[in-house]
């Protein structure tokens, strides 16, 4: 068994016990024993200037049929579960918001938030029927705090929809393109999302290997 590491704390559950999961020439990757999040220590996290430079390279365009098809893998199953005319948030919408367009085409109203491209902190004082985070949660430096905020903003029975690639095992991780992106600092597995469901009293729906829905419990005001 890998040598347990008492520091740093897990950025998701604040657990104090993590093992070395993998190491390459650039970074070390630790896995929390409690929530099973794989994460990089703080010293490997990029600063905001580096993050912004990487994100500026993204060619996201709401008119791109391929990008629309990709995001529809979340938009479609989420829209099937929403009542008509609901209010949502595209959290981490990026430089070319598109998921919001897909859901607005279905008759929903969608606010935008992104710390680099649409930094509107007033969204955190609102309540939403659904929140989407596509290719976002792997970038979060403090995911525990961010998930607390998202569930606090969700109305009872509200939906949190996410897209992110999942950790399978060490062998696959070593060859995984996902870890080559320096802005990817947290890596989730099915066990991690099961932990989140327990923590926030939500129901987990694994729509696909990289499409995840969490439904907040009725009457929950966390």
């Amino acid at each position: 068994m890998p040598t347990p590491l008492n520091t740093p704390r897990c950025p998701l559950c604040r657990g104090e016990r993590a093992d070395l999961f993998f190491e390459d020439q650039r970074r070390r990757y630790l896995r929390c024993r409690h929530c099973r999040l794989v994460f990089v220590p703080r010293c490997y996290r990029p600063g905001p200037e580096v993050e912004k430079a990487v994100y500026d390279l993204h060619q996201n365009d709401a008119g791109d049929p391929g990008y629309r098809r990709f995001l529809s893998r979340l938009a479609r199953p989420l829209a099937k579960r929403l009542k008509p005319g609901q209010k949502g948030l595209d959290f981490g919408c990026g430089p070319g918001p598109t998921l919001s367009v897909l859901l607005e085409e279905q008759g929903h109203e969608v606010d935008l938030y992104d710390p680099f491209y649409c930094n509107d902190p007033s969204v955190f004082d609102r309540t939403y029927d659904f929140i989407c985070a596509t290719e976002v949660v792997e970038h979060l430096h403090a995911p525990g705090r961010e998930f607390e905020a998202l569930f606090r903003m969700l109305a009872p029975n509200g939906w949190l929809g996410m897209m992110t690639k999942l950790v399978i095992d060490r062998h696959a991780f070593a060859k995984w393109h996902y870890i080559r992106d320096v802005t990817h600092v947290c890596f989730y597995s099915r066990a991690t999302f099961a932990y989140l469901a327990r923590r926030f009293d939500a129901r987990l729906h694994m729509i696909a290997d990289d499409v995840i829905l969490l439904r907040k419990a009725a009457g929950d005001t966390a």
Side-chain angles (χ1 to χ4, degrees), residues 1-201:
M1 178 180 295
T3 303
L5 303 171
N6 293 323
T7 56
R9 286 177 177 265
C10 172
L12 180 59
C13 72
R14 303 302 295 165
E16 297 181 355
R17 304 291 282 180
D19 301 308
L20 180 63
F21 183 70
F22 182 70
E23 185 172 9
D24 58 24
Q25 294 181 341
R26 296 190 306 166
R27 303 191 291 185
R28 303 179 83 205
Y29 305 82
L30 312 181
R31 183 167 63 181
C32 176
R33 290 189 176 184
H34 181 56
C35 70
R36 310 304 285 173
L37 182 77
V38 176
F39 63 96
V40 300
R42 185 185 300 272
C43 63
Y44 299 114
R45 300 175 194 166
E49 298 82 5
V50 172
E51 284 191 282
K52 176 73 162 46
V54 173
Y55 302 151
D56 284 345
L57 298 175
H58 294 178
Q59 300 295 319
N60 298 339
D61 182 356
D64 180 351
Y67 191 50
R68 289 172 65 95
R69 282 195 300 272
F70 171 72
L71 292 180
S72 70
R73 297 176 61 245
L74 171 61
R76 283 198 187 112
L78 176 61
K80 289 179 180 178
R81 291 164 168 81
L82 298 177
K83 297 178 182 178
Q86 294 209 294
K87 175 79 171 180
L89 173 68
D90 186 355
F91 179 77
C93 60
T98 300
L99 184 66
S100 58
V101 174
L102 296 178
L103 290 166
E104 285 169 348
E105 290 172 352
Q106 298 295 317
H108 304 291
E109 182 181 352
V110 185
D111 288 344
L112 302 176
Y113 177 80
D114 190 286
F116 295 105
Y117 303 103
C118 192
N119 193 355
D120 178 9
S122 68
V123 302
F124 294 102
D125 297 322
R126 302 172 193 164
T127 301
Y128 294 99
D129 300 304
F130 63 92
I131 298 174
C132 300
T134 54
E135 297 291 318
V136 169
V137 296
E138 64 272 15
H139 300 273
L140 300 179
H141 291 196
R145 185 176 64 211
E146 300 283 8
F147 276 108
E148 286 177 359
L150 295 177
F151 272 95
R152 185 168 58 249
M153 296 155 64
L154 272 180
N157 283 320
W159 293 92
L160 174 60
M162 294 163 284
M163 293 183 72
T164 190
K165 303 295 184 186
L166 299 186
V167 175
I168 300 173
D169 54 36
R170 284 188 179 88
H171 179 71
F173 195 89
K175 300 183 292 183
W176 200 17
H177 74 281
Y178 228 47
I179 67 174
R180 312 302 176 210
D181 186 335
V182 69
T183 66
H184 291 179
V185 296
C186 288
F187 306 91
Y188 303 73
S189 65
R190 288 175 179 263
T192 310
F193 284 112
Y195 158 79
L196 284 169
R198 293 191 301 272
R199 175 173 171 179
F200 294 105
D201 191 21

Side-chain angles (χ1 to χ4, degrees), residues 193-214:
F193 284 112
Y195 158 79
L196 284 169
R198 293 191 301 272
R199 175 173 171 179
F200 294 105
D201 191 21
R203 178 163 294 188
L204 174 62
H205 300 257
M206 297 296 302
I207 304 300
D209 287 341
D210 60 345
V211 180
I212 303 98
L213 294 176
L214 285 168

